Amino acid sequence: MDKEKLAYKKLAYMGLFCALAILMGYIEAILPIHIGIPGVKLGIVNIVIIFVFYTLGWKEALTISVIRIFVVGFLFGNLYSILFSLAGGVLSFLVMLILKKFHFHILTVSIAGGITHNLGQLLIASFVVQVYSLMYFMPIMIVAGVAAGAVIGYLGHLAIKRLAYLMPK
Amino acid sequence: MKKRDIILISIFIAIAALGFGISRWPSLSDKEAILKISVQGETYGEYSLKQNQTIEIGSTNTCEIKDGKVHMIQADCPDKLCMDFTAIDKDGGSIVCLPNQVVLEIVTDNQNIDSIAG
């Protein structure tokens, strides 16, 4: 396939995955998971991000992640939720990028992403209200991040195994 | 999964366990825990956990102390996340309403002195 055609194909796939990520964000928003700490959630969006990360590349995954945060934020959230999502999203992305560079397993990458996503949000929240006792929630958030990250990482792994051959290389 | 993956995940869990231990440690002492409410960084009031009462915080939020547990029962912000927090008690913790910048915190007498000094 020549270069121009490949670029168009990639663009089309990115649009598709952007839509999928936004949809996942909506499903996430209506899933009634309450464990008493706001911000703890399954993070099913991360399946899409991880899939793109491992098949198209990190720049594409970051682009989709940021576009998704703004679209979902404007649709269902507010300025605060955009700020928190950005902090969590960018921090977890950096950590996932570093771990992947060092060839850690996809499950580890996903778990670290889940934990740092929560942690980024917690840090911003602590900073905004200047209450550092919010860090009281940190242990629970780490455990929740490990559990959710493992599930999401495994689902992402399955998706990559079955669908990666479709992606433009 | 390689060995170092397992090591890294174990480190995460160890940090969580350590954090859990540290954050719950002060509850072993018999210092009296009190509820401190702040609005936009300013202390709004301090309340004993022993007395059941409903506290109106400005015109935006209402919290309730019942049987030593505190929870937010009303908020005028759209997301109402603060009402989702689990109740906090003498073991510590905090409830935060970000849009109104209302913070409910459990502090012990000890921590109080620290915050005045700092």
Side-chain angles (χ1 to χ4, degrees):
Chain A
M1 210 186 303
D2 62 70
K3 223 173 177 177
E4 202 180 335
K5 237 178 166 177
L6 188 72
Y8 286 140
K9 199 170 176 190
K10 218 170 179 178
L11 196 63
Y13 271 102
M14 278 179 69
L16 183 74
F17 283 113
C18 235
L20 195 59
I22 292 162
L23 192 69
M24 293 287 201
Y26 174 66
I27 293 172
E28 185 98 71
I30 59 173
L31 270 183
I33 299 178
H34 291 296
I35 66 163
I37 304 165
V40 172
K41 50 190 178 189
L42 201 49
I44 46 177
V45 174
N46 227 14
I47 301 176
V48 180
I49 304 299
I50 282 189
F51 183 78
V52 175
F53 193 31
Y54 274 83
T55 52
L56 285 178
W58 71 269
K59 284 184 204 126
E60 287 76 2
L62 184 61
T63 312
I64 288 173
S65 184
V66 171
I67 291 175
R68 181 200 79 81
I69 287 166
F70 277 101
V71 172
V72 171
F74 282 126
L75 282 177
F76 312 112
N78 48 46
L79 206 62
Y80 275 107
S81 59
I82 293 177
L83 187 68
F84 291 136
S85 298
L86 266 184
V90 171
L91 184 67
S92 78
F93 199 88
L94 282 175
V95 170
M96 296 206 297
L97 188 65
I98 292 167
L99 287 187
K100 186 174 177 282
K101 274 270 190 291
F102 286 104
H103 303 288
F104 275 94
H105 193 272
I106 183 168
L107 270 185
T108 315
V109 172
S110 166
I111 287 171
I115 293 172
T116 45
H117 193 273
N118 289 341
L119 217 58
Q121 299 199 344
L122 206 58
L123 283 174
I124 285 282
S126 301
F127 182 73
V128 169
V129 293
Q130 303 277 312
V131 172
Y132 301 100
S133 62
L134 262 189
M135 282 300 151
Y136 178 84
F137 295 123
M138 190 214 44
I140 305 163
M141 284 201 145
I142 291 182
V143 174
V146 170
V151 173
I152 298 303
Y154 184 64
L155 291 176
H157 169 71
L158 288 182
I160 292 166
K161 215 165 84 181
R162 284 166 172 72
L163 300 171
Y165 73 95
L166 290 169
M167 304 300 284
K169 265 273 155 350
Chain B
M1 297 285 271
K2 286 186 222 134
K3 204 173 172 184
R4 58 179 181 169
D5 291 291
I6 294 163
I7 291 172
L8 192 64
I9 294 168
S10 309
I11 290 173
F12 291 147
I13 294 176
I15 292 172
L18 198 69
F20 193 82
I22 291 170
S23 64
R24 269 68 170 177
W25 195 256
S27 66
L28 293 178
S29 68
D30 47 341
K31 287 198 178 66
E32 201 202 330
I34 47 174
L35 169 68
K36 182 181 154 201
I37 301 178
S38 1
V39 180
Q40 293 178 347
E42 310 267 314
T43 304
Y44 182 85
E46 288 175 348
Y47 305 87
S48 165
L49 287 178
K50 286 176 184 146
Q51 194 185 345
N52 286 356
Q53 58 179 320
T54 308
I55 304 159
E56 288 197 16
I57 308 158
S59 57
T60 54
N61 299 60
T62 311
C63 74
E64 187 187 51
I65 302 175
K66 202 180 171 190
D67 305 328
K69 287 180 182 293
V70 186
H71 65 115
M72 194 77 85
I73 53 173
Q74 184 266 326
D76 66 354
C77 54
D79 51 6
K80 309 229 184 289
L81 278 179
C82 51
M83 292 161 69
D84 275 348
F85 276 95
T86 45
I88 54 176
D89 55 23
K90 61 175 174 27
D91 289 337
S94 47
I95 294 177
V96 175
C97 175
L98 276 174
N100 298 331
Q101 301 220 359
V102 171
V103 181
L104 314 183
E105 261 183 298
I106 301 294
V107 291
T108 59
D109 292 340
N110 206 12
Q111 277 174 321
N112 246 359
I113 294 161
D114 284 348
S115 65
I116 292 164

